[in-house]
Structures are given as C-alpha cells and as structure tokens.
Amino acid sequence: KAIETMQEENIVRARRVFAGSAAMICGVLVALMILFGRIVGRQLVRSHDQLEAEVKKRTHELEETNRRITVSENKYRSLVEGTGEVIFTLDPSFAFTSVNGAAKTALRMTPQKLKGMNLFELIHEGSGGESVSGAIIAESLAQCRAECRPFHFNAALKTAGLIEAVNFDITIEFLGESGCEEIMGRAVPATGDRISG
C-alpha cells in the first residue's frame, strides 16, 4: 500500500510537472509569436508606408512627364500647323504618313488625300532642266539614308487642279536613335532666285 500510495503521488507530481512545463512552453511560444508578430507587423507597416510614398512620388513624376509631353505636343502642333511650309513624314517606302495643313494651299490637296501616296507620285517628270527626275531623287535618297544624312533637292510637284507643276525646295531628313528609321521632310515653294541658283 505504501508503494502504491507513493507511486500514485509520483504520478500526480509528474502530471503536475508535465502540465506546468507544457503551460510554460505554451506561454513562451505564445509570447514569442506575439513578439514576432509585432516585429513583422511593424516591418509590414514600414514597407507599406515606403511603397505608398514611392507610388505617390512615381505618380507625381508620371503626371509631370505627361504634362510636359502634352505641352510639347501642343507646341509641335502649333509650329507645324502654323507654318506655310509643307511638313511631312514618310514611311520606309517614301509614302506619306502625315502631312500638315499647308499642303492644302501649296499643293491644293488635303493631308488625308496625300496620306498613303508615294512622294515619287507627286514629282512631275518632264519639267525641263529645272527639276531633278524621280529616278535620280530615289537613288540619292537611298544613298543619304544609308549615310543617315539629310538630302536637299529642287523638284516640280504635281498639284491638284493646276495644269503646271510647282517648283519646291525639298529637304528630307533621316532621324532615329537606333538608326535612320524616321523620315521627315519639308517642302517650300521655290522662288525664282532659288531656281536660277
């Protein structure tokens, strides 16, 4: 009986020690989890604040860049549309992709009618010695494009509704950061002095 009593007391004591140890371990784990949760929470809040500040900064920069682009486009549009020179862009096959409003006055054609038309379709052949022929212009343009340099020439261009072609001083430039893929040009009605020159 003494041994059984002692054994029961040992079992009760072992259960109490186990329960106490388990409670203590659980308490330490809970405390560690709370501590870790607070640290992670603070880092998350800090990261969120940094990201939010970065997003605000980038949004402001983007809005400022968009505003500058809009101002630049308006200036460009005002300059291009306000000039008396015919300003145009061409695709790689020398077809018009855009033309300013001066084409209505100078060529008697709307920009919409010129879009898609090839530059060489406008060059009037057989205008005597005053104009360079289309074949020579095409050859020179190919060479200037290969060398990425501008090309200036005088040519008689066909105009809608007029019997005679009109002489223009034309400048073609090849632009682009990675090569000469952008083609831009301008045409100014040639004066008598320019033709004789």
Side-chain angles (χ1 to χ4, degrees), residues 76 80 87-90 171-175 182-186:
Y76 172 78
V80 169
I87 297 176
F88 54 90
T89 56
L90 303 169
T171 303
I172 305 287
E173 293 185 61
F174 301 94
L175 311 168
E182 298 280 330
I183 306 171
M184 190 170 182
R186 68 180 190 277

Side-chain angles (χ1 to χ4, degrees), residues 102-111 113-114 117 121-124 156-166 168:
K104 290 180 196 172
T105 307
L107 297 170
R108 307 265 194 260
M109 291 187 215
T110 63
K113 185 175 181 182
L114 284 167
M117 185 184 289
E121 292 176 47
L122 281 181
I123 295 174
H124 180 68
L157 299 182
K158 300 171 190 172
T159 57
L162 294 179
I163 296 170
E164 289 190 25
V166 178
F168 284 88

